[in-house]
Amino acid sequence: MEANELRPEGRTVTRADLAEAVYRELGLSRTESAAMVEMVLAEISETIVSGETVKLSSFGSFVVRSKGQRVGRNPKTGKEVPIPPRRVTVFKPSNIMKQRINECLAPEEETGGAAVSTGADAGNARRLKAAEADVATT
């Protein structure tokens, strides 16, 4: 069963949703399932906080980046404000995840006989179809 069949578009997946999925798939008790989800998330969090990269095969990587101090601007007043250095976490999806995301956007679209494989190609295909529809109605 596809993940898209379970959740409407735009819904947020919570810890409880993950625990419920573990409960359904593995048959553990709900308490054990919730504890397992918490353990995995705690391990990921601790690793990121320590500055290490978390790489999940076929999913992606959570990378910690350091940003230096810079000068920002208050949008209301226009006054320059120093922004202190900080560390940020960035998620980089794997190539497999990128491919799965783009397949969900345009699973059957074709342009000129060639299958659409990237997000940019899918956008171009939609614009081309819209233009063809406009021409057909005039």
Side-chain angles (χ1 to χ4, degrees):
M1 185 179 297
E2 287 289 317
N4 291 343
E5 295 172 11
L6 300 175
R7 291 184 301 280
E9 194 170 322
R11 183 170 176 273
T12 300
V13 177
T14 65
R15 290 172 187 242
D17 295 331
L18 294 173
E20 183 65 23
V22 170
Y23 166 74
R24 279 193 320 270
E25 292 294 321
L26 299 181
L28 299 174
S29 73
R30 283 191 161 88
T31 305
E32 291 171 325
S33 298
M36 181 178 285
V37 168
E38 288 301 322
M39 288 172 30
V40 169
L41 294 176
E43 185 66 29
I44 290 171
S45 296
E46 290 171 16
T47 304
I48 292 170
V49 167
S50 72
E52 298 177 57
T53 296
V54 174
K55 184 174 183 177
L56 303 172
S57 181
S58 302
F59 182 72
S61 301
F62 294 93
V63 181
V64 178
R65 292 203 176 133
S66 295
K67 291 189 162 198
Q69 183 171 343
R70 63 187 177 93
V71 177
R73 194 172 299 278
N74 181 329
K76 264 188 173 177
T77 64
K79 181 180 176 186
E80 289 186 354
V81 179
I83 299 173
R86 62 183 196 253
R87 294 187 327 170
V88 296
T89 304
V90 178
F91 177 72
K92 294 174 61 177
S94 70
N95 288 334
I96 293 169
M97 180 60 74
K98 288 178 190 176
Q99 183 179 10
R100 289 181 66 199
I101 291 167
N102 286 320
E103 285 173 356
C104 289
L105 289 176
E108 300 296 324
E109 286 188 24
E110 293 188 12
T111 55
V116 175
S117 61
T118 67
D121 290 339
N124 290 339
R126 284 189 290 275
R127 284 189 288 279
L128 180 61
K129 282 187 177 182
E132 288 172 350
D134 287 342
V135 169
T137 59
T138 56

